[in-house]
Amino acid sequence: MVRWRAWCQALLTVGLCACPFGFASAQPPAAAGTAASYVGSKACMECHPKEYESFTRYSKKAHSSQSIKIMAPKLSAEELKGCFACHTTGYGQPGGFVSFEKTPELADAGCEVCHGPGSAHADAGGDATLIRAKLAMSMCESCHNAERVRTFNFKPMLFAGAH
């Protein structure tokens, strides 16, 4: 447990758990004059049932908040913030995850972690230009990085169980 706490503190200190604010420039354009907001993965289900089913069934991201809930009693509030940055949707960003009670629909690392806030895309009837469709591994590296690979012994994969 001491090793886990020291690891979390080290990540917080060097900023590896910081919310990826650099994604803002990579966000797809929102509808004219409005900023897209987070709607949660269930909102994607109606138009993308096959992808949603695959994501919720096979992707560990779809259930990532469970890791936080298991560890929460052993972590400080500051350490939890570091966990929220990678294990929830939009934490630290406008309209993103706030808490399990206030924003339960954003409690896991859902579709919008990769594709960006989905409200404009959904409101425009699925306009593909209003969501990030083309993904690059570099966008994943704020959470999937060398330090975490060594610590948790996992392999980051661009399409690992996503869809």
Side-chain angles (χ1 to χ4, degrees):
M1 173 50 20
V2 172
R3 188 172 136 206
W4 169 255
R5 187 175 295 270
W7 178 84
C8 285
Q9 187 59 45
L11 287 177
L12 291 170
T13 302
V14 298
L16 291 175
C17 271
C19 192
F21 290 110
F23 277 7
S25 61
Q27 293 292 347
T34 62
S37 60
Y38 293 93
V39 294
S41 294
K42 284 187 181 178
C44 305
M45 180 175 53
E46 185 176 323
C47 297
H48 306 282
K50 182 178 144 196
E51 293 83 358
Y52 179 82
E53 172 66 24
S54 178
F55 177 72
T56 56
R57 179 176 279 177
Y58 300 112
S59 178
K60 290 181 182 180
K61 291 178 203 150
H63 312 286
S64 59
S65 67
Q66 295 306 312
S67 300
I68 298 172
K69 290 176 181 178
I70 291 168
M71 293 300 298
K74 302 170 187 172
L75 301 173
S76 70
E78 196 61 33
E79 289 168 327
L80 278 173
K81 289 178 184 179
C83 297
F84 291 151
C86 291
H87 289 260
T88 66
T89 299
Y91 178 72
Q93 298 178 37
F97 177 81
V98 175
S99 70
F100 293 117
E101 297 76 27
K102 292 180 182 177
T103 52
E105 71 282 5
L106 303 175
D108 294 305
C111 305
E112 295 165 294
V113 168
C114 299
H115 296 287
S119 65
H121 170 71
D123 292 345
D127 182 345
T129 65
L130 298 175
I131 200 80
R132 188 183 310 116
K134 190 166 187 151
L135 306 176
M137 186 60 99
S138 61
M139 297 172 65
C140 308
E141 291 173 346
S142 63
C143 293
H144 297 270
N145 56 58
E147 181 60 35
R148 291 198 177 115
V149 170
R150 282 191 300 273
T151 303
F152 295 115
N153 194 28
F154 73 94
K155 297 176 185 174
M157 294 180 275
L158 186 58
F159 299 106
H163 43 72

